[in-house]
Each structure stands twice: as structure tokens, then as C-alpha cells.
Amino acid sequence: MSAAKAGKTLRPGLRFVPAVAAGKLARFVTRLRGGGSAFPGYLSNRMAPNLLPTLAGQFRYGVVFVLGSNGKTTTTHMVSEILRAHGLAVFTNPTGSNMPQGVTSALMADATLTGRVKADVAVLEVDEGYAADLADRLSPRVMLALNVQVDQLYRFFETERVADMMLDAAARASDAVIVNRDDPYLSKIDETAMRGSVSYFGASEALVAASAHGLVNAIDTRSDSTGSAARHAESEVVAVDGRKVSVVVDGQPIGVTVPARGLHYAVDAAAALVTAARVLEAEFDADNAARAFAGMQPAYGRGEVIPLAPGRDEQVEFVMFKNAPSLQLNLDALPGAPDRVLMAIDEGTPDISWIYDVDFDALDHVDVVSGEKAHQVALRLEYAGIRVGAVEPDLARAVSMMRALPPRSGLSQTWLVNYEIMMAGRRLLGHGDQEVARRA
Amino acid sequence: MTTLTIVQLYPDLLGVTGDRGNVAVLQSRLASAGITARVVTAGVGEPLPDEIDIVVIGNGPLSAMRRVTDDLAAKADTLRAHSESGGVLFAVGAGAELLSAGVQTLDGADVPGLGLLPFRVRRTRQRRVGYIVADTEDGELIGFEDHASTWDLDDGASAYGRVSAGKGSVGAEGLGGESVRAANAFATNVQGPALPLNPQLADAVLRAACARRGVDYTAGESVAKADTLAEAARSDIRRLTAGKKPTVMSI
Ligand SMILES: [Zn+2]
């Protein structure tokens, strides 16, 4: 069982005090100065290279990695909440801290000065580019690979490189590997190259067929077959009705409520459920899992609603995307053409050529287009035949324009945004950076 | 009433940078001029139509290039005949490289080209990413570059644009030139995609295609709004690139 997996020779102790203290101090100072989270981790790793493996080795239920082009944050959150509903103390890294130094910083902030962790399990969202390297230091027990989508071309150039990085990291999981059977690259995983057993998750054929653009996973450009390999899914979404989703996990039906509409969120839930089942083994309980979903807050900017203005009951629903697949799946999940729409992208997304790969049929108009790329986005919408009310690159002015639309009680506006605009938009609506605090 | 045929080659495998946007722009602009366009896609194993006016081929990863080489060889005679008869080719990134004299890759397994474009490609360790602006005979070519290629021109060939911001792909280590036009074959490493952001280039492509059919082409009123938005987007990019160094990464 899991406790035995932590049979490491590395133990916490006084020798870690200087490194942890230095890291904690550096973290305190960089936070005061509003800086990033990488330096403290870098410092502690330099001072005590054994710190990271020692921290990781103490989690009774081991370390879980969540990898994928889309849905890492949402799924990490789901896995964590399911484990919490089973009574486990869960350590998880805040969004954006998914590279080695950031993970170290977060782990160290949570540890005692002697390098003792307080949680039973670590559920970590990990950047694909560093997954293998981090796996060598954290010895994950369970690894989940969500999907490979045409994304990150800006960073990795070749989609298949992203797939290989995930599969390469997955081979390092000691107990279990969980992959998407509807993903052309991941479904072709070589089970014999894995140390852990392989489980699959996915959506039923009927559900995928009913989705306007399927699941938008990257086609496999290097094999004879561009589609996915036929695999039995240990965790399968069998029905979706708005946010109500039915998943069959290891033969057991579980009804859950996902934080936002969309087949991709349902598939994330199937992935999270089977991941938790592999972590908990015989302790996994369907009722506990369902209870976890019932109480789940939407992850920051994924289906989250906040008031359009203080004292107004009209809400803003942020729909965040970072690439063509996530925008397409979010558009496909809209219950109808929304009547109040803002769409905004800034230079945080450097190349937006892919907006021409997205079908905008789900919209009949956009009220305001904003962000530094407003004119590029408006140009795309013009060629797509979508009516645009106004183009206002300045986000603060665009928000004022959205607030100035005739008020309607109890309804919500739909703001389609990239990550940076979501953060800026939240601030403009009076909701600051609360995610780190909430998730830490 | 004239109907032009646009063929998009390998839209799934070589179409990852919004390449169907280029096709849509050609179609809309022809429609604005009162010319009907028929769009046909041709994937691996799918035949080319008998009559072709414009061939569009887009961008994709190296694995996708390798996947289409056999099929492209089977289509080579038709594509060569099309090009030699003054037919238009509009090729972006990996698609352009497949129509060149060939691609030298970093892993040693070179990719053959059809030899329809007057350059040879060297994949480099230096990756060039960011907005790009280049001066051309048709006006400023503006968009986004993201490639790790140098296009070495054949003797007598020249770059279509001279880079004023960004890096470009034509010439020694990509300094100075971007895109190539040889008769009615256009090749570019500009994304965005290129044609929505560059109506002047779209019109140059369409004038070439229409002239071959003896048809006059002038973009009509229905694309005026798109052109106003394109000009605003172009100004934004000019402003963002002014005085900025291009990004180069090692891969
Ligand atoms: Zn509206």
C-alpha cells in the first residue's frame, strides 16, 4: 500500500534548517516585493540538493503528477478535492508554480524548518517540459496525462515533442499511469515501457460524436493512423446534462456535478476520479468522490462568476482559453448564443494565428472586443461574419462599456479571455489575486 | 460568371497556424469582386481537381511534412504543370519548404522537396519568434514569425520582402529577407495568418490568379471593413515592434 512506497532513506532533520529557513525568508522577501516564486526554490535547492526528494518521500500516499496541454489546473483541483473528501491532507501547488523551482518553493513554504511535510499526499500540476526532470527528484507514484493539443507550438515547436515529454515522464511513475484513450498520441502509449499499471479515461463514443468538434485533441502526425488506438476506458463519461455528469469508474457509476459546462470538464472529472481511485486503492469511495464535486468551487476563471459591479446582481462569467482547442470546447459548451459578450486577448498570447482554426458559430455577436490584440481578433470575427459592437483595446474602457449596457437582473455576461486578461479583468471588477491564498 | 478553384492541400496535417484563414480570405475577396470561388481540400490519398487556379498549402510540424512526402510526390506532376502554366501557389512555412528544392534537417534525415520554389531550406538551432515587418513591392508585409529555418536562394532569385522588424527566413541566418515570389508562386514564413493581416498580398495573389484567366480583379466594398480592421491591427504591430529586438531562442 501507499505508506510502504515512502520507504526512503532520506529523512527530515536539522541539517535542512538553513536551506528551508533561507528559502522561507527569500519567499517572504520576494512576496513583499511582489516578485515571482522561483528564486526561493532555487536557493533552497542549491543549499540542500536532497531537500526535494526528502520532502517528496514523506507523503504517505505519495506524489501525483498532473500533465496535459489543457485542463491541468481544473483537474489538479478535482483530484485534490476528491482526496480531501476521503480525509486526506493534500498539498497542491498554486497555478503557475508548475516548474521545478516553483514546485520547490511551494513545497518548502508548506514544510517545517527541519524539512518535514504536513500533508498525506502531494497533487502537483507539472509543466510537460520539466516533468521527467521533476519525476527523477520527486518519484511520483501516480501520473495522469490529460491530453496533447495543438498548443504551445510557440514553446515546443512540435506537437509530438509534447506527447513524448509526457510519455517519457509517465514511464517514471512507480504505481499507476492514467492516460486519455481519446487522445491519438497518448492512447498509443507503450504499456510495456511503463513501471506502473496503465488505466484509461475518456468519453463514450456517442458523447464524442455529439460534440460539435469532438474533443479537439491533436492528430497523430507520425503514425500510420492519425486517430486514437482502441482502448477500454476504466473511467468513462457516459452522460452529460449541463453540469451534471455520469462517469463509470472501474465498473461503478458515479454522478458528479462539474464546476463548469462542457464535455472537456466532464472528461477532466473522469480523469480525476480514476486518478484518485489509483491513489486511494481500496479506500476509494464513490460517495465521498461525489461529495467532493458537490462542494467544489470553480477554479479561478474556469466557469467562475463574479459581480459585474458592486451592488449589481448581474454577473460576469469568465471563460478562459489559451489555444484553439480550449476556445473551441468552451464555445461548443455554451448553452446558446450569449447576449452579452466580451472577447479579449493581449500579448500574453503571442501568436493567435489559431483563431482562424476556431469556428465561431456558437456566437451571433460580440459586444466589445478588447486587449492589445483587439484589432486582430475583430478582424477574425469580421471574416467569420460575427457582428462586433465595438473594438476597444484598452481593457478598463472595455469593462466600462460592458457595465454601461442596459442592466439585467440575475443574468450573466460572458467574457471570453486569455489568462492575462482574466487576471486583469478580475482586478478591474474588484477581485484581486486571491487564487494563491485560496489554494495554498 | 467566372468560378475559380482554390485547392487547400493537407488541411489537417499542414494547417496548424490558422491556414484555412488564408483560404477564407481569398474566397471572401474574390466574392467581393463578383467572382465565385470553389474551395476543394485534398488530403493524403485524395485526388486533385482537374482545373486548379490557386493551390494553398500551410504549416505543420516536421513529422507532418514527412507524412505527406509520398503523397506529394504522387501529385508532383500535376502541381508542376499547374505552376509552369502560370497557376498560383500560396505556400506557408512547412508547406513552402515541401515545395522548395529540399529541407536539410537537424536530425540528418532530410526531407525532399518538389523543386517548385527557388530555394533550399536549412533547419537551424536558432528559432525566430515574434512579430515581423518587411517592405515589399506590394507594401508592408506584417505578421508573426515562428520558425527555425533559413531559406538559401538559388542564383538569380530574390527575397520578396526586406525585413525592418523581426528576423525573417531568407538569406544568411535569416537576416534581411522574408518570403519569396517566383512568377506566380508565393512562399512565406509569415503567420497571423498572413493574408487577413495583409490584404495587399492577398490582392497580389488574386490578381495573378485572375490575370491567368483573363479576368479583372479589384476587391469590392464587402471587404472594406475587414481592410480597415487589418490596417488597425497592422498599426498595432508596427507600434509594438518599434525599437524592439526580435526574440531568438535556441532549440
Ligand atoms: Zn450583446
Side-chain angles (χ1 to χ4, degrees):
Chain A
M1 158 71 230
S2 50
K5 304 293 189 303
K8 299 268 188 245
T9 49
L10 298 166
R11 297 190 181 286
L14 289 174
R15 68 186 184 288
F16 288 121
V17 172
V20 177
K24 281 180 183 280
L25 179 65
R27 189 166 187 275
F28 179 68
V29 173
T30 51
R31 288 210 150 187
L32 280 185
R33 301 166 71 189
S37 59
F39 176 70
Y42 169 79
L43 185 66
S44 300
N45 278 340
R46 280 293 300 271
M47 291 176 70
N50 275 338
L51 176 61
L52 207 48
T54 304
L55 291 176
Q58 297 172 61
F59 294 103
R60 284 199 302 132
Y61 289 80
V63 173
V64 180
F65 276 17
V66 178
L67 315 175
S69 301
N70 270 332
K72 279 197 287 282
T73 300
T74 298
T75 311
T76 299
H77 187 55
M78 288 175 177
V79 174
S80 302
E81 291 301 306
I82 299 168
L83 297 177
R84 284 187 182 117
H86 285 78
L88 270 60
V90 179
F91 169 80
T92 183
N93 53 332
T95 312
S97 301
N98 60 9
M99 301 193 194
Q101 312 298 7
V103 171
T104 309
S105 292
L107 269 169
M108 194 189 52
D110 207 52
T112 67
L113 278 176
T114 54
R116 190 174 294 283
V117 301
K118 300 162 196 161
D120 301 311
V121 63
V123 183
L124 304 174
E125 157 185 351
V126 175
D127 182 274
E128 298 68 64
Y130 300 93
D133 173 50
L134 260 182
D136 287 338
R137 289 194 265 168
L138 298 178
S139 309
R141 199 179 138 228
V142 174
M143 208 167 320
L144 164 62
L146 286 167
N147 46 46
V148 178
Q149 296 179 339
V150 176
D151 168 33
Q152 304 160 302
L153 283 175
Y154 174 79
R155 237 184 101 199
F156 295 120
F157 214 40
E158 302 274 356
T159 306
E160 64 268 28
R161 259 182 82 186
V162 180
D164 285 338
M165 287 187 291
M166 287 188 209
L167 293 169
D168 194 37
R172 290 159 162 83
S174 61
D175 273 27
V177 171
I178 295 124
V179 298
N180 187 339
R181 68 105 180 257
D182 299 314
D183 185 284
Y185 284 111
L186 297 177
S187 64
K188 290 174 193 143
I189 188 171
D190 175 5
E191 294 184 358
T192 63
M194 299 295 127
R195 286 171 64 202
S197 66
V198 178
S199 303
Y200 300 88
F201 65 91
S204 72
E205 220 175 295
L207 284 173
V208 176
S211 166
H213 301 88
L215 290 164
V216 212
N217 294 314
I219 58 168
D220 178 354
T221 54
R222 65 179 167 193
S223 311
D224 288 338
S225 133
T226 53
S228 47
R231 301 283 195 182
H232 168 74
E234 278 76 12
S235 182
E236 185 179 58
V237 182
V238 293
V240 177
D241 178 12
R243 291 171 53 212
K244 298 245 178 291
V245 170
S246 301
V247 186
V248 176
V249 184
D250 296 323
Q252 190 177 17
I254 306 179
V256 301
T257 304
V258 292
R261 290 177 308 267
L263 185 56
H264 52 316
Y265 287 111
V267 171
D268 290 344
L273 285 163
V274 69
T275 301
R278 296 299 173 265
V279 172
L280 293 160
E281 299 180 336
E283 292 167 50
F284 179 78
D285 179 89
D287 292 336
N288 284 344
R291 197 159 46 77
F293 279 89
M296 212 175 282
Q297 297 295 317
Y300 219 39
R302 290 97 176 157
E304 185 192 39
V305 291
I306 52 185
L308 177 60
R312 267 178 66 180
D313 65 355
E314 194 169 356
Q315 306 276 318
V316 171
E317 181 174 356
F318 281 101
V319 178
M320 193 184 78
F321 56 85
K322 59 177 186 176
N323 51 28
S326 60
L327 177 53
Q328 189 71 71
L329 290 167
N330 281 319
L331 288 172
D332 291 353
L334 292 171
D339 68 342
R340 296 273 197 276
V341 191
L342 169 87
M343 183 165 177
I345 308 181
D346 72 358
E347 292 297 330
T349 308
D351 178 18
I352 57 165
S353 299
W354 50 262
I355 56 173
Y356 286 83
D357 290 325
V358 172
D359 279 326
F360 287 90
D361 326 354
L363 303 178
D364 57 13
H365 77 291
V366 173
D367 294 290
V368 182
V369 176
S370 187
E372 288 162 303
K373 293 199 191 272
H375 292 114
Q376 290 185 57
V377 174
L379 176 60
R380 165 62 184 128
L381 294 173
E382 169 67 14
Y383 273 115
I386 306 292
R387 184 165 49 81
V388 170
V391 185
E392 173 48 73
D394 183 86
L395 187 65
R397 277 196 289 253
V399 167
S400 301
M401 293 166 87
M402 293 304 290
R403 279 175 165 163
L405 293 170
R408 305 153 320 148
S409 198
L411 295 172
S412 58
Q413 298 195 345
T414 301
W415 290 15
L416 301 162
V417 293
N418 68 343
Y419 181 80
E420 288 76 8
I421 296 272
M422 186 267 292
M423 299 297 278
R426 284 181 57 97
R427 275 195 300 277
L428 287 165
L429 293 180
H431 286 246
D433 186 6
Q434 297 156 350
E435 181 168 47
V436 173
R438 186 168 64 72
R439 298 197 63 197
Chain B
M1 183 101 174
T2 315
T3 298
L4 263 62
T5 301
I6 303 172
V7 178
Q8 187 184 4
L9 280 177
Y10 316 119
D12 293 342
L13 291 160
L14 296 172
V16 301
T17 47
D19 298 282
R20 72 176 191 178
N22 288 325
V23 176
V25 166
L26 294 174
Q27 193 173 20
S28 298
R29 299 186 82 79
L30 283 171
S32 82
I35 301 166
T36 312
R38 173 172 78 117
V39 175
V40 179
T41 58
V44 171
E46 291 172 353
L48 293 168
D50 292 336
E51 288 202 15
I52 306 174
D53 290 282
I54 303 173
V55 172
V56 176
I57 181 168
N59 205 359
L62 196 52
S63 54
M65 293 172 73
R66 293 196 164 113
R67 229 185 118 77
V68 304
T69 47
D70 287 351
D71 187 78
L72 199 58
K75 293 181 165 73
D77 289 345
T78 309
L79 293 172
R80 179 165 292 111
H82 167 73
S83 186
E84 283 171 358
S85 69
V88 172
L89 300 173
F90 184 78
V92 179
E97 298 187 353
L98 285 167
L99 303 187
S100 77
V103 185
Q104 185 188 87
T105 67
L106 294 170
D107 62 17
D110 294 353
V111 178
L114 293 194
L116 302 182
L117 293 167
F119 58 89
R120 188 170 285 280
V121 178
R122 271 182 297 129
R123 286 293 178 96
T124 65
R125 296 213 171 274
Q126 185 204 58
R127 182 166 160 220
R128 303 152 207 166
V129 185
Y131 285 123
I132 180 166
V133 181
D135 297 312
T136 79
E137 67 208 32
D138 299 303
E140 271 182 325
L141 173 64
I142 294 183
F144 196 92
E145 64 177 332
D146 182 0
H147 59 92
S149 284
T150 293
W151 293 359
D152 293 318
L153 292 169
D154 295 353
D155 290 343
S158 61
Y160 171 68
R162 182 204 292 270
V163 175
S164 61
K167 294 294 265 185
S169 29
V170 183
E173 298 319 313
L175 292 171
E178 174 51 47
S179 306
V180 173
R181 177 176 183 178
N184 287 342
F186 298 78
T188 186
N189 247 328
V190 175
Q191 310 175 181
L195 295 185
L197 281 171
N198 294 279
Q200 81 290 349
L201 177 57
D203 288 343
V205 169
L206 292 172
R207 274 195 305 271
C210 290
R212 176 166 171 259
R213 291 282 220 102
V215 179
D216 277 338
Y217 165 81
T218 312
E221 264 307 297
S222 61
V223 292
K225 189 168 174 201
D227 288 357
T228 305
L229 288 167
E231 191 41 51
R234 291 161 61 83
S235 306
D236 293 341
I237 295 171
R238 274 189 211 103
R239 191 166 33 73
L240 285 165
T241 53
K244 228 182 122 190
K245 281 209 169 142
T247 304
V248 176
M249 302 181 190
S250 282
I251 54 173

